[in-house]
Amino acid sequence: MLSVALSLALIAAEPAVLTCTTELVVLGVAQDGGAPQFGNSADPAWSNPELRRLATSLGVVNHDTGQRLLFEATPDLREQLYRLDQVMMTEARPGLDGIFLTHGHMGHYTGLMFLGFESMGAQGVPVFAMPQMAQYLSTSGPWEQLVRYGNIALQDLREGEGADVAGLTVTPFLVPHRQEYTEVVGFSIDGPDRSALFLPDIDSWEEWDEEGTRIEDMIASVDVAYLDATFFANGEIPGRDMSGFPHPFITHSMARFADLPATEKAKVRFIHFNHTNPVRFPDSPERQQVLDAGFGLADEGERYCLGD
């Protein structure tokens, strides 16, 4: 089994030495609103495009079969599909063999609009969704038009049941998080040789403990884990007590995972950074603190081999 660091190093090398048949690519790392965020005119990312970040999304490509998958349909879908094209081009438009949705919050499904009549006018794009999410898309405008016009074809997901597509098995698992419209899930993504965990939103690890699932066990079950890191610490939003915010702070996660073996810590790739989270800045001391503790931070464009 390749270590996370070695696997990421291999796929960061020159394209000529790439040997992955199936690979995961990070298409966005920001919280739903992206960075810089609407109305935050002081953000240096407005004047420095290198600091801009898209809403959190993963892609998977199977070079042998020509199939492509997307995890989340974000408001940045247009840019993210272009980035996926740079990894593996396809003649089909949009060339997606499945879109897997975690839940019904803004940054995770609203990019479906670009598949509709007013934009691409796609036909039959498979959208994998849990029962409440599928019901929401089928009955709530404007999303139900996508179903009615056949732009998307809903595929049922069930907790703990794997969906086999593009040479992968994708298994949803329920997590505690705000459920105003739909249930909330993460995904285990099992490739031919390695596996990934994708969990961009959760209220707290301790609530999950109470439901019978330990995040440490989930990390142990995969080779790389993309975990909710929306906020770094209490106090990063001026004038607000953040202690009750529904996300685990990075500082809390690092403290909880402090006794894990170095090999387990190295699997963690924190993701889903709010625009206030200082780790989104390459030179921030908070970012270095995370790296010094043995954990990783997801970067847009990073690629991970799921199949050799």
Side-chain angles (χ1 to χ4, degrees):
M1 178 184 296
L2 288 175
S3 71
V4 173
L6 177 57
S7 185
L8 290 171
L10 285 175
I11 58 181
E14 291 297 320
V17 301
L18 267 177
T19 60
C20 297
T21 60
T22 304
E23 59 179 325
L24 177 153
V25 57
V26 175
L27 300 172
V29 299
Q31 184 267 356
D32 299 34
Q37 195 166 102
F38 178 79
N40 185 22
S41 59
D43 194 311
W46 289 116
S47 56
N48 183 356
E50 292 184 0
L51 297 178
R52 296 179 185 178
R53 297 294 181 265
L54 306 184
T56 291
S57 176
L58 304 181
V60 173
V61 300
N62 185 323
H63 292 282
D64 281 348
T65 66
Q67 293 173 290
R68 311 193 307 179
L69 302 178
L70 196 65
F71 290 83
E72 311 291 37
T74 82
D76 296 315
L77 181 65
R78 294 180 302 167
E79 174 71 17
Q80 288 166 335
L81 274 182
Y82 176 78
R83 292 183 180 186
L84 197 60
D85 284 343
Q86 310 315 299
V87 177
M88 188 183 76
M89 184 67 73
T90 176
E91 293 183 4
R93 299 285 89 194
L96 293 172
D97 297 277
I99 299 175
F100 287 82
L101 303 178
T102 60
H103 64 296
H105 287 160
M106 181 194 83
H108 301 264
Y109 79 99
T110 56
L112 293 175
M113 64 185 175
F114 294 112
L115 302 177
F117 179 74
E118 299 86 353
S119 183
M120 178 175 282
Q123 284 298 305
V125 177
V127 173
F128 291 80
M130 294 289 286
Q132 292 177 23
M133 186 81 227
Q135 177 72 8
Y136 175 73
L137 293 173
S138 298
T139 60
S140 305
W143 316 109
E144 60 84 20
Q145 180 174 288
L146 297 173
V147 178
R148 183 159 42 89
Y149 283 15
N151 304 124
I152 64 175
L154 294 175
Q155 311 294 313
D156 292 336
L157 287 177
R158 293 290 185 272
E159 181 187 14
E161 297 183 9
D164 296 324
V165 58
L168 306 174
T169 299
V170 181
T171 306
F173 51 84
L174 291 169
V175 297
H177 188 55
R178 296 181 294 112
Q179 300 180 26
E180 297 91 341
Y181 299 107
T182 75
E183 64 275 90
V184 182
V185 299
F187 292 111
S188 292
I189 307 167
D190 292 301
D193 299 296
R194 280 170 288 281
S195 58
L197 188 72
F198 181 51
L199 205 177
D201 275 295
I202 191 170
D203 283 351
S204 74
W205 307 130
E206 288 68 33
E207 287 181 64
W208 217 15
D209 290 340
E210 295 173 2
E211 295 180 2
T213 303
R214 296 180 71 253
I215 180 57
E216 292 85 353
D217 295 334
M218 297 296 287
I219 295 171
S221 71
V222 297
D223 296 291
V224 63
Y226 292 92
L227 303 183
D228 183 351
T230 307
F231 302 105
F232 182 75
N234 196 354
E236 72 185 59
I237 299 180
R240 294 184 66 178
D241 176 13
M242 300 170 58
S243 57
F245 276 32
H247 295 279
F249 299 142
I250 292 180
T251 51
H252 175 72
S253 295
M254 290 196 298
R256 172 159 174 153
F257 303 155
D259 294 331
L260 289 179
T263 52
E264 292 296 284
K265 290 180 181 178
K267 293 179 180 180
V268 174
R269 308 286 297 170
F270 288 120
I271 200 168
H272 198 259
F273 311 130
N274 194 57
H275 69 103
T276 60
N277 193 328
V279 302
R280 56 176 273 242
F281 297 107
D283 298 327
S284 71
E286 293 86 355
R287 186 178 183 88
Q288 193 60 48
Q289 181 182 339
V290 175
L291 300 177
D292 288 344
F295 303 101
L297 293 156
D299 287 318
E300 292 180 5
E302 77 177 41
R303 294 154 71 174
Y304 184 80
C305 289
L306 296 174
D308 296 331

